[in-house]
Amino acid sequence: MTMRVLLSTIGSRGEVQPVTGLAVALRERGADVRIVAPPDFRELVEDLGFAMVPIGPTLRRPPGTGDWAAGMTPEKARKLTEDTVREQFAVVGEAARDRDVVVAAGSLQIAARSVAEKLGVPYIFAAYCAISLPSPLHAPPRMPWQRPGDGIEEMWAQEAVQWNALFGPLLNRHRAELGLAPVGDVREHVHTSSPWLAADPVLGPWPEPDDEGVFTTGAWLLADERPLPGEVEAFLRAGGPPVYFGFGSMTAPPELGAAMVEAARRDGARAIVQRGWAGLDTGAAGPDVLAVGEVNQRALFPRVAAVVHHGGAGTTTTAALAGVPQVVVPQRFDQFYWAARVERLGIGVAHPPQAPDAASLAGALAALTAVTGANARRVARDVVTDGADIAAGRISRTVEDRI
């Protein structure tokens, strides 16, 4: 019997690409996989041969228009939350009707467990970063409601209050419509008592090694066989290894691209700047600069001198796997965690807590040493590359145990 899997995620490419890595691993086991994701990633999903069910609005904003949350009022936030929960129940509910298991990856998966419960199929939740899951050994991601001086226990308790206040009434209203009992703790309901951690055990380990409640799979890496574009290959051959700069789907002022170029020049290096969703502008570029769109990072990173990035889980893992030093410029949520992990492992540095400019980026690059490079090469040997296959095997056994 063919196993039918629904994979659901909401967020940027950092949330979606790992799901596609898991989808490929499941397909190799003969599974029929359907993916729920934001409409921005239809091409990514369908080019890999998977059925795509879009959810939510388009996330990508035109360069220069700022963060999607800019101008957000309490009324707009309330309406957005209501719309999000309602759409999740409708879209995920319909997409899961013929599935044998529902896998929700990343935060804000409010409806998926209720849908699985109503259908009587297994539900699995996976986080991409350890600090997304409560533990007395680490604090949650930085959020506006955190108060100076709060301890770890207080921060987690306050986060639970926020989850319940924001989603509790909406979740329980929809559960009542499905004939399901109300939920008292929204966060525990979404995460379950046995969540998965889809992060590399070296880069982002679960801090409680004896805790059998959290199953670490390793990061879900998408095997990318695409060759680098001809212009990238030509640029790489034309000189020494360049510094790569890229903020992925993060917002940033377009002029930051010119600051990146100046930082590389101050460091005596060439630069490859990924334009990303911010549409970074490299300014008066010369033969020592190449601006690129989306490229195969797994092919590119082993050939650069350093990777300067925003600290997403996927980019951090890909750079670590390449064995090159990193400069992490965190902006939000778990990116500060990844910046701290990179520094703790000695495989790179965290950018100072300020808006990046040419001087600060050049200073961070100058802080990379031969020891940093040696540490990066050492850690690269320990990065797990079969996390998606480990997760796919466990999903298969979960479904088989019910047959």
Side-chain angles (χ1 to χ4, degrees):
M1 183 182 91
T2 299
M3 177 175 61
R4 299 164 299 180
V5 182
L6 180 69
L7 304 181
S8 176
T9 192
I10 300 173
S12 65
R13 191 182 185 97
E15 281 75 36
V16 178
Q17 184 155 318
V19 163
T20 62
L22 175 58
V24 169
L26 286 163
R27 183 170 59 191
E28 291 174 350
R29 292 174 174 269
D32 170 20
V33 182
R34 181 179 298 151
I35 297 176
V36 174
D40 307 73
F41 306 102
R42 180 183 290 276
E43 183 177 359
L44 169 65
V45 171
E46 293 185 345
D47 282 354
L48 289 168
F50 297 105
M52 161 76 176
V53 180
I55 188 168
T58 298
L59 301 177
R60 185 170 186 172
R61 294 171 59 86
T65 57
D67 196 326
W68 66 270
M72 185 68 67
T73 64
E75 292 74 19
K76 289 181 179 178
R78 189 177 305 110
K79 177 68 162 54
L80 179 63
T81 302
E82 292 174 355
D83 292 346
T84 296
V85 174
R86 181 176 61 253
E87 185 172 14
Q88 284 187 41
F89 270 92
V91 173
V92 177
E94 181 61 29
R97 283 188 179 277
D98 62 345
R99 301 290 96 178
D100 300 308
V101 60
V102 174
V103 180
S107 299
L108 303 182
Q109 297 289 305
I110 305 304
R113 183 173 181 180
S114 298
V115 167
E117 184 179 342
K118 180 64 177 179
L119 296 173
V121 299
Y123 164 79
I124 296 166
F125 173 80
Y128 294 132
C129 178
I131 63 168
S132 297
L133 303 172
S135 168
L137 299 183
H138 60 224
R142 298 183 185 183
M143 298 300 287
W145 58 72
Q146 292 171 357
R147 298 165 301 202
D150 276 353
I152 291 175
E153 183 177 347
E154 290 83 4
M155 284 191 280
W156 282 116
Q158 182 64 16
E159 189 197 64
V161 169
Q162 294 293 330
W163 274 75
N164 289 336
L166 189 60
F167 297 113
L170 297 169
L171 170 62
N172 286 326
R173 185 191 312 160
H174 287 280
R175 284 180 62 84
E177 292 173 357
L178 295 176
L180 301 174
V183 166
D185 185 332
V186 177
R187 185 181 64 193
E188 195 281 335
H189 167 78
V190 170
H191 290 172
T192 78
S193 60
S194 53
W196 293 10
L197 177 58
D200 186 81
V202 173
L203 289 177
W206 183 243
E208 304 175 66
D210 297 327
D211 179 5
E212 297 181 356
V214 175
F215 173 59
T216 298
T217 65
W220 300 344
L221 301 176
L222 175 64
D224 196 338
E225 304 299 330
R226 293 174 299 160
L228 294 172
E231 64 173 351
V232 176
E233 283 286 358
F235 183 79
L236 290 170
R237 295 193 195 103
V243 175
Y244 169 93
F245 297 87
F247 280 6
S249 54
M250 292 292 99
T251 57
E255 59 269 21
L256 179 59
M260 292 172 168
V261 171
E262 176 60 23
R265 286 172 174 162
R266 292 187 188 186
D267 196 54
R270 303 188 303 150
I272 291 180
V273 178
Q274 194 223 4
R275 299 184 189 91
W277 284 17
L280 295 175
D281 181 4
T282 56
D288 60 339
V289 179
L290 179 66
V292 299
E294 197 274 322
V295 295
N296 181 354
Q297 293 181 340
R298 291 192 67 174
L300 176 60
F301 283 3
R303 301 173 66 181
V304 303
V307 175
V308 182
H309 63 98
H310 59 292
T315 308
T316 304
T317 303
T318 304
L321 182 61
V324 295
Q326 308 181 41
V327 172
V328 184
V329 189
Q331 297 182 49
R332 61 177 63 167
F333 304 130
D334 63 338
Q335 296 168 8
F336 296 96
Y337 167 85
W338 293 112
R341 287 297 303 169
V342 163
E343 282 211 324
R344 182 169 181 176
L345 290 167
I347 61 176
V349 298
H351 184 273
Q354 66 187 63
D357 57 24
S360 66
L361 290 170
L365 286 170
L368 300 176
T369 66
V371 173
T372 312
N375 287 339
R377 291 187 293 273
R378 173 182 53 78
V379 169
R381 295 192 291 269
D382 296 327
V383 173
V384 173
T385 58
D386 60 349
D389 189 58
I390 291 171
R394 183 120 169 182
I395 292 169
S396 297
R397 291 189 294 274
T398 298
V399 174
E400 289 168 359
D401 287 346
R402 292 177 54 85
I403 299 174

